[in-house]
Amino acid sequence: MKRAADTAVREPSLTDALVPMGVLVVLVGGALGLFGLDALDGPLQVALVLCAMSVALVAMRMGHRWQAVQKVGQGAMSSITSAVFILLAVGALIGVWNLSGTIPTLLYYGIQLLSPSWYYAATALICGLISLSIGSSWTTAGTIWVGLVGVADMLGVSAAITAGAVISGAYLGDKLSPLSETTVLTAQMVKVDVYEHLKRQAWTSVPAFVIAFVAFLVIGLVKGPDVTNPVGEQIELNSLNGIYHITPLSLLPLVLLGFLSIRKVPASLALVYSTLFAGCLGAFLQPSVMRDFVSGSGNIVIESVKGVWSAMANGFSIHSGIGEIDELLSRGGIDRMLLTLWLIVGAVTFGALLEEFGLIGRLIDPVIRSAKSTGRLYVTVFACAFGLNIVAGDQYIALVLPSRVFRLEFAKRGLAPTNLSRLAADSGTVTSPLVPWTSAVRTWAPCTAYRPCCTCRTGSSTTPVPP
């Protein structure tokens, strides 16, 4: 009976391989088309789960049993165990760093770097620093973009160039921060150490940013307006000094995280240590913030414990009356990582099923065989990731599939897995904002609908107007 069952399994046909990809395009495109930004809050994840189920049905049609499908799914889940712990720790850390003043201090000092004579370059640098500290290009662009593009509009400088500077800085931090979920996911898929992956990414990310920075600096010096700096009035980040006790001591948790990273402490443990240290430090440096956050009971010890615990679990929230500050700092928490984890689970399971049952190989193997040289293989990986961004409209799919599909080929040719992790990130993540219908662009799209209203020139917040 067992031998008969084995012979019933057939190789996938081209139609078998195309069906799941067609389902992917329809469901992901439908989710983004019907729900817009809200697709990231569940519909997109459901689409990926349904895509995985479509692969399961095709596999069973090929003769595989349901038990085999389950086994592949279990393997997919076990492959991201480390990533899950790291991402949960990242959520806790971001919430506590906002509560303890670490991220607000970075913002406060960073905004001082702005100068009208090098506005574009300063924009890229500030967004890079912020993205490095929070590990999210989407959050950096989706919040800081509002203020910086608004200021650019008021100054008469190019909003398009400013937007490019925002993206350049945001993706530098996204690529080099150990807090970035895309960085963690890519390293996990290729089975390399996160910090080793970060080192390799620096080889391409840092030179690319330096080139962009020099270009923005030259453009700003040649075309920049000779005006006074209105950024403090526009975004009101200087008001942070009235909310938090701004001191370099608040940056010690960041220093600790860097030290632990250098000492190669496991990423999840390093994140937890930095989180707890930031919570203890914040109890002394930010007692008023702690009290306001938890509706203080009068006992500073209880307020601090409750505040740190709550920020780790559910994130930090602030109601300063300044929209940009509230939007940027009201984030973090383990619970806010669950949607990201759901998205990753769907993408990884979909990719694992495609790989295990030979469906993606049916499409990619001819291309791999034609890539005789190492250079052609690299170009093939890039084309695959960029193509998936175009077809699927989601950078997680563009990261997961190439990482899984080309991993064995890189090993067969004796190429270091860090080369694949760097290439997958360079092609899957960074090309996402170049495709108008990807989830990344849709996340930032509302920011372009904001322009300074007449009262913004006196320092009030921006107001949305019809595009």
Side-chain angles (χ1 to χ4, degrees):
M1 293 295 293
K2 182 177 180 181
R3 184 174 302 170
D6 290 340
T7 57
V9 176
R10 61 175 176 80
E11 292 296 317
S13 65
L14 182 60
T15 301
D16 292 331
L18 289 175
V19 166
M21 302 308 294
V23 172
L24 174 68
V25 173
V26 171
L27 291 183
V28 173
L32 293 172
L34 290 174
F35 298 96
L37 290 177
D38 292 337
L40 297 170
D41 296 329
L44 188 59
Q45 289 85 336
V46 170
L48 290 176
V49 172
L50 293 176
C51 288
M53 296 302 296
S54 72
V55 181
L57 292 175
V58 170
M60 294 176 69
R61 183 175 177 271
M62 291 163 49
H64 295 280
R65 304 186 64 177
W66 176 249
Q67 287 79 0
V69 175
Q70 284 183 312
K71 186 176 180 179
V72 175
Q74 291 168 359
M77 294 301 99
S78 64
S79 71
I80 61 171
T81 301
S82 297
V84 169
F85 281 111
I86 292 173
L87 291 174
L88 294 179
V90 166
L93 179 138
I94 292 173
V96 176
W97 272 18
N98 280 316
L99 172 66
S100 65
T102 300
I103 292 177
T105 299
L106 281 171
L107 285 173
Y108 180 81
Y109 290 137
I111 204 65
Q112 310 308 316
L113 296 174
L114 278 179
S115 171
S117 61
W118 58 307
Y119 186 77
Y120 302 134
T123 293
L125 186 60
I126 288 172
C127 289
L129 292 173
I130 294 173
S131 186
L132 274 169
S133 67
I134 64 178
S136 174
S137 59
W138 288 9
T139 299
T140 301
T143 53
I144 294 299
W145 186 325
V146 177
L148 294 178
V149 172
V151 172
D153 188 62
M154 184 170 63
L155 288 175
V157 300
S158 171
I161 298 177
T162 301
V166 170
I167 293 174
S168 297
Y171 270 103
L172 173 73
D174 190 278
K175 295 285 293 303
L176 298 182
S177 174
L179 309 183
S180 168
E181 71 272 11
T182 54
T183 295
V184 173
L185 177 62
T186 305
Q188 189 67 34
M189 287 294 96
V190 185
K191 299 187 183 301
V192 299
D193 179 74
V194 172
Y195 297 119
E196 189 63 30
H197 172 63
L198 290 173
K199 290 179 185 178
R200 295 304 181 97
Q201 286 213 124
W203 292 3
T204 53
S205 300
V206 173
F209 179 78
V210 170
I211 293 172
F213 180 83
V214 172
F216 289 131
L217 183 60
V218 171
I219 293 172
L221 292 175
V222 172
K223 297 184 178 181
D226 184 16
V227 296
T228 57
N229 183 4
V231 174
E233 294 180 359
Q234 172 67 20
I235 312 178
E236 300 189 49
L237 285 181
N238 284 334
S239 298
L240 285 169
N241 200 20
I243 301 172
Y244 290 89
H245 173 51
I246 301 297
T247 169
L249 293 175
S250 295
L251 300 179
L252 288 178
L254 181 60
V255 175
L256 176 62
L257 181 60
F259 172 76
L260 295 176
S261 300
I262 293 173
R263 295 299 300 270
K264 297 187 182 300
V265 174
S268 56
L269 292 180
L271 292 167
V272 170
Y273 292 154
S274 181
T275 299
L276 296 177
F277 176 63
C280 294
L281 194 64
F284 293 97
L285 297 180
Q286 316 295 343
S288 61
V289 177
M290 291 271 188
R291 181 172 56 253
D292 294 341
F293 177 54
V294 297
S295 301
S297 61
N299 188 318
I300 186 61
V301 176
I302 294 178
E303 289 173 355
S304 300
V305 172
K306 185 178 178 181
V308 172
W309 202 326
S310 179
M312 291 178 67
N314 307 113
F316 176 68
S317 61
I318 186 172
H319 305 285
S320 66
I322 304 171
E324 291 82 2
I325 292 177
D326 293 348
E327 179 72 17
L328 185 62
L329 299 184
S330 297
R331 61 189 307 268
I334 290 175
D335 66 341
R336 298 194 186 184
M337 301 303 295
L338 297 182
L339 281 174
T340 298
L341 289 175
W342 183 10
L343 188 65
I344 291 173
V345 166
V348 169
T349 304
F350 178 63
L353 292 171
L354 284 175
E355 179 186 16
E356 181 65 24
F357 297 119
L359 298 171
I360 194 67
R362 182 67 176 80
L363 298 174
I364 299 296
D365 282 349
V367 180
I368 294 178
R369 286 195 296 270
S370 67
K372 303 295 185 181
S373 66
T374 300
R376 287 186 178 182
L377 180 63
Y378 286 1
V379 171
T380 301
V381 175
F382 178 87
C384 179
F386 188 34
L388 284 168
N389 262 323
I390 295 174
V391 172
D394 183 76
Q395 67 180 10
Y396 289 99
I397 291 290
L399 282 172
V400 169
L401 286 183
S403 298
R404 295 191 65 96
V405 169
F406 291 96
R407 188 175 61 204
L408 294 178
E409 186 65 23
F410 269 64
K412 185 186 303 181
R413 299 193 186 192
L415 300 173
T418 48
N419 290 334
L420 175 58
S421 66
R422 182 184 65 223
L423 185 58
D426 286 346
S427 54
T429 304
V430 180
T431 62
S432 182
L434 300 178
V435 182
W437 51 85
T438 59
S439 50
V441 174
R442 286 173 176 269
T443 300
W444 304 344
C447 302
T448 60
Y450 285 78
R451 292 292 183 270
C453 62
C454 57
T455 57
C456 287
R457 302 181 184 274
T458 61
S460 69
S461 60
T462 54
T463 301
V465 296

